[in-house]
Amino acid sequence: MQELHDAPLAPLTTFRLGGPATRLVTATTDAEVIAAVHEADDTGTPLLLIGGGSNLVIGDKGFDGTALHIATRGFSLDGTTLELAAGEIWTDAVARTVEAGLAGVECLAGIPGSAGATPIQNVGAYGQEVSATITEVTAYDRRSRETVALSNADCAFSYRHSRFKADPERYVVLRVRFELEDAGGLSAPLRYAETARALGVEAGDRVPLTAARETVLKLRAGKGMVLDPEDHDTWSAGSFFTNPILTDEQFAEFRSRVAERLGDAVEPPAFPAGDGRVKTSAAWLIDKAGFTKGYGTGPARISTKHTLALTNRGEATTEDLLALAREVVAGVHDAFGVSLVNEPVTVGVSL
């Protein structure tokens, strides 16, 4: 294991923000990961897990404890069963499954971060979520101090949520197993209207895997959602806010506020979310509340390509970013009575 003291954490995040860690340990095997966790738990040292750093907002003061960078590697494909080490780069893994002619995660191309983070957040985009293909997660249970295997049902997946996110101090993901589909080189049925339109097909159709992946990458790049060190619109955590899920009663109140502000002819986005609930669009809310693309004059601004991404224009601090986030949250609530929830994990800070 590599060990550094007073180590900068900003370079390990896609925001490129945050102060140093008292100690930074980089683990390249499962055994090293477990050993580092054991040491922290045995000594009562605060522990911060870092994978690809694409979903982290670290405070300017940094982290007083041990930051564990999980850099394990492992890609195993047995028929349609894929197993990834937690530290595998997700975008590379998706590309390899497409090359192998297997469907199930092709529309998750271009999402930054590591494989081990995907079940925590139940990563999803363009009509796919990892919960649809994950069959098992191998994790270290800090409570029982043993390695455990959790089935898909055990993971308690829901929209951008899981058992791991609900209890972040308990599990350390080590490996993730997926069951993919051999559809003769075709994608899974397209579930996202924008993707289908871009490909000139209908929702529910299948297309060649490479076409699905390349189309998603182009759509993401057009929104600043594919990492590019030269493009400050990608110095972000992707979507900073989750799409709000409202009860029928809350949605009715929301529609009333929309009509009052924007006129009776305007209908807000609405998608069934089950259990008498409705999902609406955070991006739509932000835009209609007056926070348009490129909003802001300081070093932290809304992306010029997508209203859901808050970005570091190169000289921002975490406090700059949080000030912008709080302004957006307050503005949306004042305009529509809906409370936005941040998607990235905050360390040492909060909205």
Side-chain angles (χ1 to χ4, degrees):
M1 284 189 292
Q2 182 188 64
E3 180 177 328
L4 298 172
H5 293 270
D6 195 27
L9 295 180
L12 297 179
T13 75
T14 53
F15 264 125
R16 295 169 171 80
L17 294 176
T22 306
R23 178 171 173 257
L24 171 64
V25 173
T26 300
T28 57
T29 67
D30 288 353
E32 289 180 351
V33 171
I34 293 170
V37 175
H38 270 173
E39 182 184 7
D41 289 347
D42 289 344
T43 58
T45 303
L47 181 67
L48 171 64
L49 304 177
I50 301 178
S54 60
N55 203 42
L56 277 180
V57 178
I58 299 173
D60 292 318
K61 293 182 179 179
F63 182 69
D64 185 11
T66 295
L68 173 57
H69 182 208
I70 299 176
T72 54
R73 292 291 181 266
F75 179 103
S76 173
L77 195 55
D78 181 9
T80 56
T81 300
L82 170 68
E83 185 168 287
L84 298 176
E88 275 291 323
I89 298 170
W90 177 249
T91 53
D92 293 348
V94 171
R96 293 176 70 176
T97 66
V98 170
E99 289 170 4
L102 298 177
V105 294
E106 63 279 0
C107 290
L108 303 178
I111 295 176
S114 62
T118 60
I120 298 171
Q121 191 73 5
N122 185 16
V123 164
Y126 294 96
Q128 290 183 341
E129 287 183 332
V130 292
S131 58
T133 50
I134 287 176
T135 57
E136 186 177 271
V137 175
T138 301
Y140 176 70
D141 185 340
R142 297 170 69 181
R143 188 175 301 168
S144 65
R145 296 177 69 88
E146 62 182 351
T147 300
V148 296
L150 295 101
S151 69
N152 182 289
D154 291 334
C155 294
F157 290 122
S158 59
Y159 173 64
R160 300 297 175 271
H161 201 70
S162 69
R163 180 176 186 171
F164 312 104
K165 191 172 182 180
D167 195 357
E169 300 300 317
R170 180 169 181 179
Y171 296 101
V172 180
V173 175
L174 300 174
R175 292 184 299 281
V176 188
R177 184 175 296 168
F178 303 80
E179 187 59 33
L180 304 178
E181 178 189 7
D182 185 348
L186 296 179
S187 70
L190 298 175
R191 304 298 184 195
Y192 200 70
E194 184 182 15
T195 314
R197 282 196 304 271
L199 284 158
V201 299
E202 298 295 322
D205 288 348
R206 294 177 185 262
V207 298
L209 278 165
T210 53
R213 175 177 174 271
E214 289 168 4
T215 297
V216 166
L217 287 173
K218 288 178 183 176
L219 290 171
R220 290 185 64 86
K223 300 172 184 178
M225 298 292 187
V226 176
L227 292 181
D228 179 352
E230 302 303 317
D231 182 0
H232 285 288
D233 275 321
T234 72
W235 290 30
S236 75
S239 299
F240 195 87
F241 300 103
T242 57
N243 289 322
I245 295 178
L246 309 175
T247 64
D248 285 341
E249 183 179 355
Q250 289 171 330
F251 189 76
E253 173 62 24
F254 167 49
R255 285 183 68 190
S256 175
R257 296 282 289 269
V258 170
E260 181 181 327
R261 182 180 178 92
L262 303 175
D264 293 337
V266 177
E267 280 291 330
F271 310 94
D275 298 324
R277 300 183 303 166
V278 181
K279 181 167 68 174
T280 192
S281 166
W284 188 92
L285 284 163
I286 293 166
D287 181 71
K288 298 304 181 185
F291 303 99
T292 53
K293 295 174 184 176
Y295 178 87
T297 57
R301 303 178 199 172
I302 290 177
S303 166
T304 65
K305 300 182 180 73
H306 200 304
T307 52
L308 260 186
L310 308 188
T311 66
N312 171 11
R313 308 315 293 184
E315 302 295 333
T317 64
T318 301
E319 279 306 310
D320 292 328
L321 177 77
L322 293 176
L324 175 62
R326 291 173 187 132
E327 183 183 1
V328 171
V329 169
V332 167
H333 191 270
D334 287 347
F336 300 113
V338 176
S339 298
L340 293 178
V341 176
N342 54 290
E343 187 168 330
V345 175
T346 55
V347 178
V349 292
S350 66
L351 291 188

